[in-house]
Amino acid sequence: MSELDKLLEGVEVEWKSLGEVCDFKNGFAFKSRLFKEDGLPIIRITNIDGRNIDLSDVKFFNAEDYNTSNLSNYIIEKGDVLIAMSGATTGKIGYYNFIDPAYLNQRVGKFEPKEILNTRYLYHYLLTKAEFIYILAGGGAQPNLSSNKLKEKLEIPIPCPDNPKKSLEIQQKIVDILDTFTELTAELTAELTARKQQFSYYREQLLTFETGKETKQIPLGEIYDFKYGTGNTIPKSGGDYPVYGSNGIVGRHQEFNSEDAPVIGHIGAYAGIVNWGKGKHFVTYNGVICKPKSKDVLPKYAYHLLLLQNFGSKANSGSQPFVSYNILKAPVVCVPSKEEQERIVSILDKFDTLTTSISEGLPKEIELRQKQYEYYREMLLSFPKP
């Protein structure tokens, strides 16, 4: 008998509504006009990535701007589990893994488990219910999650409910097993991030020249014709050609409108993201078709020039960020001889394969570890219902 079988052998489980074992805190309505560049951090729905809390785009506030003494009710501490309550990220879960506290914004909810429920056990279980929670929120273009409905409709399995001490021991053992996989995945992801940053550094060094006899400066608008893709509906089945949206392949189609060329995210959360469209492919309106028009610039070299631009930071702001033709055409880049372009592309392609190819290296390892985690999570948390 395996350790997993021993752990779960003879364990009685009672399915309880979330509200029976967990309280819930809704966020505070911080005013966007009072956001600061430093101060006390605010966690918004955009900071929830589906697993963790991402502080790369965090906003801050000054407590003196608010005439209330109750802001302490909205503190987030290390180990708290949050959920996005509306918008495009509705239902996504985030684990707060930082030492310094932050504050809960409106449209973000915080779970407050009672004594019978291990917070990290709750976190792993919630990751299995993403689709259920999204449907509970109404789905569609404007989903909105009700905390009352979440507490009433979502059920969670509690082992040994009549023996809280034993119940928490079993929950902790399940957490320990699952955390082994998440920690390994986190380490591999951190290594991949470091390599990508290294890749970006070397790419910038290789593509930076002083203008001289062997190089010339050319606007991107003279290297590419940019054109938004076709159609708002994503073809998801059938056809020989991959469909590219704003960030990679999203379906299949029987037609193509671009071939062996970059695709740039045009609108939404992925505005400015650059992908390489291999072979014949179809680009939707969410992406930009990049058609090479300069004979002096190799296609793959031009692609690396696009990666260097960080179009996302230049996107027009608003509820739906977008990258205009003017933004794409404006940057002026240095272009060396074709021989030098070939040498640089050879180096960068090898680095790109190492860091981003899903079929080898770290990305493949991360994918395998994630599947392994999901397998054991399903095994450990799929208790039968009466």
Side-chain angles (χ1 to χ4, degrees):
M1 181 181 291
S2 70
E3 290 300 316
L4 285 178
D5 291 332
K6 290 179 182 178
L7 174 62
L8 301 177
E9 184 184 19
V11 172
E12 289 186 19
V13 172
E14 184 175 341
W15 286 81
K16 294 181 176 289
S17 67
L18 186 63
E20 293 180 78
V21 294
C22 185
D23 291 323
F24 194 85
K25 170 72 72 175
N26 287 297
F28 179 77
F30 291 97
K31 297 178 175 62
S32 58
R33 62 182 175 82
L34 296 177
F35 286 168
K36 310 292 184 184
E37 292 302 316
D38 55 36
L40 301 170
I42 304 168
I43 303 304
R44 301 169 295 149
I45 57 174
T46 54
N47 299 118
I48 301 177
D49 69 9
R51 291 188 177 279
N52 297 297
I53 304 301
D54 180 5
L55 297 184
S56 60
D57 183 30
V58 71
K59 301 298 183 182
F60 300 88
F61 77 100
N62 186 333
E64 294 178 359
D65 290 335
Y66 295 90
N67 227 356
T68 176
S69 59
N70 295 326
L71 288 178
S72 59
N73 292 333
Y74 303 97
I75 289 179
I76 303 167
E77 297 179 323
K78 183 179 173 66
D80 282 340
V81 178
L82 311 181
I83 185 171
M85 303 294 287
S86 63
T89 57
T90 297
K92 285 191 175 182
I93 302 299
Y95 186 81
Y96 191 77
N97 200 27
F98 301 93
I99 295 174
D100 294 332
Y103 287 79
L104 196 68
N105 195 34
Q106 63 182 341
R107 299 162 64 200
V108 178
K110 183 177 80 169
F111 296 96
E112 297 182 326
K114 299 177 182 179
E115 291 183 0
I116 190 65
L117 182 60
N118 180 303
T119 302
R120 190 71 180 171
Y121 175 86
L122 170 65
Y123 165 75
H124 286 295
Y125 181 72
L126 289 171
L127 292 179
T128 71
K129 308 303 291 183
E131 185 176 354
F132 174 84
I133 294 172
Y134 185 75
I135 294 172
L136 196 63
Q142 293 293 333
N144 191 56
L145 188 60
S146 160
S147 57
N148 288 333
K149 187 179 289 187
L150 185 63
K151 290 191 291 184
E152 292 171 6
K153 300 295 184 180
L154 181 63
E155 292 184 321
I156 182 170
I158 302 297
C160 304
D162 297 328
N163 188 337
K165 182 179 179 181
K166 185 176 181 181
S167 177
L168 290 172
E169 287 176 355
I170 293 173
Q171 291 178 49
Q172 185 59 53
K173 288 180 180 178
I174 291 174
V175 166
D176 290 342
I177 293 170
L178 295 178
D179 277 354
T180 300
F181 296 110
T182 58
E183 288 168 6
L184 179 56
T185 301
E187 291 173 5
L188 292 170
T189 302
E191 175 66 18
L192 180 59
T193 299
R195 290 193 183 185
K196 285 183 175 180
Q197 290 172 343
Q198 188 181 26
F199 178 30
S200 297
Y201 171 80
Y202 281 113
R203 181 172 58 216
E204 184 171 354
Q205 296 300 307
L206 286 167
L207 296 178
T208 301
F209 299 90
E210 291 185 7
T211 305
K213 292 182 179 179
E214 298 298 321
T215 64
K216 52 186 175 181
Q217 291 186 321
I218 306 176
L220 283 178
E222 293 182 13
I223 298 175
Y224 284 112
D225 275 328
F226 297 109
K227 181 183 177 182
Y228 299 144
T230 307
N232 291 318
T233 302
I234 299 174
K236 291 189 176 179
S237 61
D240 298 325
Y241 309 113
V243 175
Y244 283 80
S246 58
N247 187 32
I249 297 174
V250 294
R252 309 287 299 182
H253 199 31
Q254 69 273 15
E255 299 177 7
F256 68 93
N257 55 13
S258 183
E259 182 175 1
D260 282 328
V263 180
I264 304 175
H266 157 226
I267 192 168
Y270 298 111
I273 297 292
V274 181
N275 286 288
W276 178 257
K278 185 177 181 181
K280 295 177 179 177
H281 54 274
F282 185 88
V283 182
T284 71
Y285 177 72
N286 286 343
V288 178
I289 299 170
C290 305
K291 185 177 180 181
K293 65 178 183 178
S294 173
K295 295 181 180 179
D296 295 328
V297 187
L298 298 176
K300 265 303 187 71
Y301 184 83
Y303 165 64
H304 286 294
L305 289 175
L306 291 176
L307 290 171
L308 195 64
Q309 302 310 313
N310 192 16
F311 289 119
S313 66
K314 304 171 185 176
N316 294 308
S317 60
S319 58
Q320 280 281 66
F322 72 95
V323 177
S324 68
Y325 290 142
N326 288 338
I327 290 173
L328 297 172
K329 292 177 181 179
V332 177
V333 296
C334 286
V335 178
S337 66
K338 283 191 175 180
E339 292 76 14
E340 181 65 6
Q341 291 179 49
E342 289 175 351
R343 184 186 74 85
I344 292 172
V345 167
S346 175
I347 296 171
L348 292 178
D349 278 355
K350 289 176 183 177
F351 220 131
D352 191 31
T353 299
L354 178 65
T355 54
T356 64
S357 174
I358 200 64
S359 61
E360 58 184 282
L362 283 173
K364 183 63 177 179
E365 183 72 13
I366 291 171
E367 181 187 38
L368 291 173
R369 291 290 168 259
Q370 180 60 30
K371 288 182 178 178
Q372 197 173 23
Y373 162 73
E374 291 171 359
Y375 170 80
Y376 281 102
R377 186 181 65 192
E378 185 72 18
M379 180 185 296
L380 289 165
L381 296 177
S382 293
F383 297 99
K385 284 190 175 184

